[in-house]
Amino acid sequence: MSTDPNEQRKILRDAALHFHEFPKPGKLEIQPIKPLGNQRDLALAYSPGVAAPCEEIAQTPDAVARYTSRQNLVAVISNGTAVLGLGNIGALASKPVMEGKAVLFKKFAGIDVFDLEVDELDPTKFVDAVAPLWPTFGGINLEDIRAPDCFEIEEKLRERMPIPVFHDDQHGTAIIVGAAVLNGLELTGKKIEDVKICTSGAGAAAIACLNVLVALGAKYENIWVADKDGLVTHKRNDVNDKWRGQFRRTSDATTLAEVIDGADVFLGLSAAGALKPEMLERMGPKPLILALANPNPEIMPEVAKATRPDAMVCTGRSDYPNQVNNVLCFPFIFRGALDVHATTINEEMKLAAVRAIAKLAHEPGLEVSPSGAPAVFGPDHIIPNPFDQRLILRIAPAVARAAIDSGVAKRPIADWDAYQDQLNRFVFRSGLVMKPIIDRAQGQGKRIAFADGEDERVLRATQVLLEERIARPILIGRPAVIEARIERFGLGIQPGRDFEVINPEDDPRYRDYVSLFHSLVGRNGVTPDTARTIVRTNTTVIGALAVKRGEADGLICGLQGRYIKHVRDIRSIIGLQAGVSDVSALSMLIMPRGAFFLADTYVNQNPSADEIVSIALQARDHLKRFNIEARVALLSYSNFGSRDGDSAFKMREVYAKLKAVAPDLIVEGEMQGDLALNQELRERYIPDTALRGEANLLIFPDLDAANLSMTLLKEMNNALAVGPILMGTQAPAHILAPSVTSRGIVNMAAIAANEAIGAEG
């Protein structure tokens, strides 16, 4: 990748504009959740049927949660006066940011959002415009409003609206900072009531952070605050408001540098360079540095570590350990608050979130840290990864319990086990199943060969793989063609500098490749002359040979030619795993209902019972890479012996053999597809079924059933397809569907990299 910052910014800007414009402008749309397929549906949804829920709500206002979507609807509201990194750009220009916030709410917590951009700078008028909207929403998330207006706006809205009002720029940051400080002090053996805290910045986020730290036990007399005009002291007459005024100190000092001696915590929410190395040198032992200015922190982590090797460092950046990212908490705080119909988000709920986040960091991380090290509680892991799938499972219940205990929950949770199960099922449905795979691959440097190296989708995927450090691409193709297409598509990558090229027409390893290929297939009717021709023209063969020779860790192919032909080449060159009779294909479909794995969707036309057992066990192992426990359904036209026939007999035999060889595997069958997804229907046949909820791994009796089901589900549900994942090879090799997108190619490269990493272990 180019190291020119201007070029990198242009590439990112162009990509972002394209992302927001196509295929439809924006990032959100509204979808109906009730059918409107006939006149009766219309009569129920609108006139005259809609009168019934209206009457119920008029009589019992809380019934609104039963009959409308209000309780899962949040407003993200801004006037665009303090947009991160952009400043006061106005309400209209802030809309892409607010849409982005809405997407995060939906993706991470399943919460629907209307974004409202209010063109009003006067805080009182802003409040007057927003406060009457409370009947529409279950909660309000204020965003990107300048200080001190944001303090006044939030305070007045909390007084006037009987629903949670939460300014994320303040409290989201503060909650994560609170968790980081708790864990950082635990590692150093310090007590929060004793530590000296020096703060650079006195805006909304900084004041909220300090308020949380005080609530956790920090003493006002141990806190020093500075803003762009100097130290906040009683000598200044411009910090008299009640929010900043509580942190004024009596001192003749005028700068933070004058009072930083012996400080235990530096909290930065200001600007790059605010913490000088010479200031850091004078801090106390094992200092905790929270340098949260973005994109450039108050001190870069590498500079801080070089200056003080004993320091722990947090930033707002994703490319360093200990990222303070608001997405760690705000979706899950609202999830917990909405689920108990909280009337506010109070201090007890915020502190419950602080402690839940701090506690989660003690658990082994699901992914490696940005440095590539295991995510184990310690100086480089005092905050969980923002994409940790367990965040919603820890924070939402903690917030809900705090709301109940503090008396602000209108509908307490009666069955906590059922609530936890509901959250677990959301995690599975969220579409984040690829995140652990991508995170695990980042920075590991696995070499992935692409047989279709001249294809535009592969070239675009190559840029993403390099930007996200997922893999080191090796493109098979003609260098001149690759360079010309890179230029045509406006990409910022260069052959040789960013990735290796294997030129089928002129590669110095050609003779070695031919010799190896003929040694593998020479007794299958392939003459030396034929071998030479194939190695010149068949890029899948070239890629497979590169993997066989150890020059690549995995292969991605299949954009051209028949699937089964690629299978033949991979099978003959890379070979099969020990104990596997043939390769098989696992497909994943990510749909609004969840992520489902299907096998075998591409290879084996009529596998035997033993072959299906092997396929199911290999698929189970692949699901583990996604941090998913397999729940297996053995599909048939028969429900638990209701009909006889060859495939029904076969799937019954598969069930018996799986129970024998893998007694801990959650598996049920034989059964039809609706029973696999509907526990109530399943229990009519088998009340004590071992499979609870929905199956996530669907095993089919033959290729017809598997491939037809997969392609129909994909098209009817507009599903994101990942795969097919080729199972059973000695080294990672995957054959893409010709319709795959560049993002699909990135996903498959990440999966191949994960397999290569696993093979090392």
Side-chain angles (χ1 to χ4, degrees):
M1 293 294 297
S2 170
T3 57
D4 183 349
N6 292 326
E7 183 179 348
Q8 289 180 336
R9 281 193 291 270
K10 181 182 183 304
I11 292 169
L12 180 61
R13 177 182 175 82
D14 290 346
L17 291 173
H18 186 276
F19 176 87
H20 281 79
E21 184 177 359
F22 299 104
K24 294 170 65 174
K27 297 189 281 283
L28 299 170
E29 66 179 8
I30 295 174
Q31 293 280 356
I33 59 173
K34 296 293 171 64
L36 291 172
N38 52 47
Q39 186 63 39
R40 176 171 172 77
D41 289 345
L42 187 60
L44 293 173
Y46 199 53
S47 180
V50 74
C54 291
E55 291 167 347
E56 290 291 321
I57 295 167
Q59 182 175 353
T60 308
D62 286 349
V64 68
R66 293 181 59 191
Y67 300 118
T68 76
S69 61
R70 176 181 184 264
Q71 201 53 41
N72 196 53
L73 183 63
V74 165
V76 171
I77 304 181
S78 180
N79 60 8
T81 52
V83 178
L84 181 64
L86 298 174
N88 185 358
I89 59 174
L92 184 64
S94 75
K95 188 171 181 65
V97 179
M98 302 312 127
E99 283 191 353
K101 195 79 170 190
V103 170
L104 296 179
F105 266 108
K106 186 68 174 179
K107 195 75 171 176
F108 286 96
I111 295 171
D112 296 315
V113 166
F114 289 160
D115 63 290
L116 302 176
E117 293 73 36
V118 181
D119 187 18
E120 181 54 69
L121 300 181
D122 182 273
T124 300
K125 292 181 179 179
F126 185 96
V127 169
D128 288 340
V130 172
L133 299 175
W134 69 265
T136 304
F137 302 103
I140 302 292
N141 185 88
L142 299 172
E143 193 76 19
D144 292 346
I145 301 173
R146 66 190 175 192
D149 295 357
C150 59
F151 299 121
E152 179 184 348
I153 287 170
E154 184 188 36
E155 186 175 274
K156 289 182 177 179
L157 286 177
R158 284 167 62 94
E159 292 172 356
R160 293 177 58 177
M161 304 181 84
I163 56 175
V165 177
F166 186 84
H167 185 208
D168 181 47
D169 299 319
Q170 293 181 61
H171 308 301
T173 302
I175 286 166
I176 304 159
V177 164
V181 170
L182 285 181
N183 281 339
L185 297 184
E186 178 182 338
L187 288 170
T188 60
K190 300 175 183 178
K191 295 181 178 180
I192 192 166
E193 59 266 27
D194 299 331
V195 297
K196 180 179 180 180
I197 302 169
C198 287
T199 304
S200 176
I207 297 303
C209 288
L210 294 175
N211 286 334
V212 163
L213 296 181
V214 168
L216 291 170
K219 304 296 186 185
Y220 281 104
E221 58 265 29
N222 294 335
I223 297 173
W224 295 86
V225 180
D227 61 15
K228 60 181 174 42
D229 296 316
L231 208 61
V232 175
T233 68
H234 286 283
K235 290 188 173 183
R236 289 177 55 180
N237 58 13
D238 60 343
V239 287
N240 296 322
D241 61 81
K242 62 181 180 181
W243 299 286
R244 292 177 296 175
Q246 61 187 326
F247 294 104
R248 289 183 296 174
R249 298 293 306 277
T250 300
S251 175
D252 292 328
T254 58
T255 67
L256 200 64
E258 297 175 69
V259 298
I260 203 166
D261 286 18
D264 301 284
V265 177
F266 171 84
L267 174 60
L269 290 136
S270 53
L275 179 60
K276 308 295 184 187
E278 55 269 26
M279 296 167 62
L280 177 55
E281 287 177 346
R282 291 158 39 209
M283 291 183 68
K286 298 181 180 178
L288 174 59
I289 310 301
L290 297 124
L292 307 183
N294 256 328
N296 299 312
E298 285 79 2
I299 188 169
M300 293 299 292
E302 54 268 29
V303 176
K305 285 288 190 179
T307 306
R308 289 292 299 270
D310 61 337
M312 284 176 284
V313 185
C314 303
T315 71
R317 293 173 52 141
S318 61
D319 52 346
Y320 290 100
N322 295 324
Q323 183 192 10
V324 175
N325 187 329
N326 288 11
V327 81
L328 269 163
C329 69
F330 73 80
F332 318 120
I333 289 172
F334 270 96
R335 181 73 279 157
L338 294 173
D339 289 340
V340 295
H341 297 199
T343 57
T344 186
I345 295 175
N346 58 24
E347 292 307 307
E348 292 88 344
M349 295 160 73
K350 296 173 193 173
L351 294 181
V354 169
R355 295 187 174 100
I357 294 169
K359 185 177 180 182
L360 179 57
H362 287 68
E363 301 180 32
L366 297 178
E367 302 89 20
V368 298
S369 69
S371 66
V376 177
F377 181 63
D380 286 336
H381 186 66
I382 60 174
I383 307 173
N385 185 300
F387 292 95
D388 193 314
Q389 296 166 323
R390 299 167 297 184
L391 284 164
I392 191 172
L393 305 179
R394 304 291 191 273
I395 299 174
V399 169
R401 286 186 188 275
I404 295 168
D405 293 343
S406 61
V408 298
K410 296 172 67 177
R411 195 183 72 174
I413 291 170
D415 188 337
W416 285 98
D417 289 338
Y419 182 58
Q420 197 72 36
D421 182 63
Q422 175 186 329
L423 294 176
N424 270 302
R425 283 188 280 114
F426 169 75
V427 169
F428 183 63
R429 293 197 308 269
S430 67
L432 293 173
V433 288
M434 279 304 303
K435 191 60 188 174
I437 297 289
I438 291 172
D439 284 352
R440 206 173 291 124
Q442 286 179 324
Q444 299 302 301
K446 292 304 169 187
R447 303 159 299 169
I448 306 300
F450 292 87
D452 303 285
E454 298 175 1
D455 189 281
E456 176 185 356
R457 291 166 292 176
V458 170
L459 295 173
R460 293 192 182 278
T462 294
Q463 176 145 336
V464 174
L465 291 168
L466 290 166
E467 288 177 351
E468 299 185 9
R469 303 180 302 114
I470 295 171
R472 290 166 50 197
I474 301 170
L475 304 191
I476 302 170
R478 296 161 294 178
V481 174
I482 291 172
E483 290 181 23
R485 291 182 178 176
I486 287 173
E487 183 176 358
R488 184 198 310 168
F489 304 139
L491 302 176
I493 53 178
Q494 288 184 17
R497 183 191 70 185
D498 299 317
F499 58 88
E500 180 184 346
V501 175
I502 298 177
N503 182 2
E505 296 180 343
D506 183 21
D507 192 279
R509 295 163 291 191
Y510 171 69
R511 292 181 183 276
D512 295 332
Y513 277 24
V514 171
S515 177
L516 175 58
F517 181 56
H518 188 258
S519 73
L520 295 169
V521 300
R523 294 187 178 275
N524 294 328
V526 178
T527 66
D529 284 345
T530 303
R532 282 190 284 271
T533 300
I534 291 173
V535 175
R536 283 279 190 219
T537 58
N538 189 322
T539 55
T540 295
V541 167
I542 295 171
L545 290 169
V547 172
K548 188 74 172 179
R549 283 165 52 90
E551 296 164 355
D553 299 304
L555 168 66
I556 304 293
C557 62
L559 294 182
Q560 304 291 331
R562 294 186 300 125
Y563 187 93
I564 203 65
K565 183 175 180 295
H566 295 288
V567 168
R568 181 200 66 194
D569 292 334
I570 290 169
R571 186 194 293 124
S572 61
I573 297 171
I574 293 178
L576 302 176
Q577 294 175 6
V580 174
S581 61
D582 199 358
V583 297
S584 57
L586 176 69
S587 294
M588 178 168 65
L589 297 179
I590 301 175
M591 298 179 283
R593 180 166 180 156
F596 297 88
F597 296 80
L598 295 77
D600 167 18
T601 49
Y602 276 90
V603 181
N604 295 277
Q605 291 188 3
N606 189 21
S608 68
D610 286 333
E611 288 171 332
I612 293 176
V613 167
S614 176
I615 289 168
L617 294 177
Q618 291 177 70
R620 172 202 61 185
D621 294 342
H622 270 280
L623 264 66
K624 288 180 181 177
R625 293 193 173 96
F626 293 87
N627 298 326
I628 295 173
E629 181 181 25
R631 300 192 299 274
V632 184
L634 305 175
L635 299 184
S636 170
Y637 57 80
S638 168
N639 283 321
F640 306 103
S642 65
R643 293 184 62 182
D644 290 336
D646 290 344
S647 69
F649 291 145
K650 179 166 63 175
M651 298 311 277
R652 287 175 214 166
E653 183 181 355
V654 171
Y655 174 78
K657 291 187 173 185
L658 280 173
K659 295 300 289 184
V661 301
D664 295 333
L665 180 67
I666 301 171
V667 59
E668 196 58 274
E670 87 284 5
M671 58 184 165
Q672 295 175 2
D674 54 353
L675 269 68
L677 303 180
N678 188 318
Q679 181 171 326
E680 182 180 349
L681 291 178
R682 191 163 59 248
E683 287 178 342
R684 294 179 187 177
Y685 286 84
I686 307 292
D688 59 346
T689 175
L691 174 61
R692 314 305 297 179
E694 295 180 333
N696 55 24
L697 175 54
L698 309 178
I699 304 295
F700 293 83
D702 56 43
L703 184 59
D704 276 349
N707 188 270
L708 288 170
S709 297
M710 186 269 296
T711 51
L712 281 171
L713 285 170
K714 175 186 172 184
E715 199 62 28
M716 292 173 67
N717 292 280
N718 193 27
L720 170 63
V722 178
I725 300 167
L726 194 64
M727 303 188 297
T729 54
Q730 282 190 4
H734 299 293
I735 306 164
L736 302 171
S739 59
V740 70
T741 64
S742 58
R743 172 48 66 177
I745 295 172
V746 170
N747 287 337
M748 290 309 302
I751 289 171
N754 269 259
E755 291 179 81
I757 294 167
E760 294 175 346

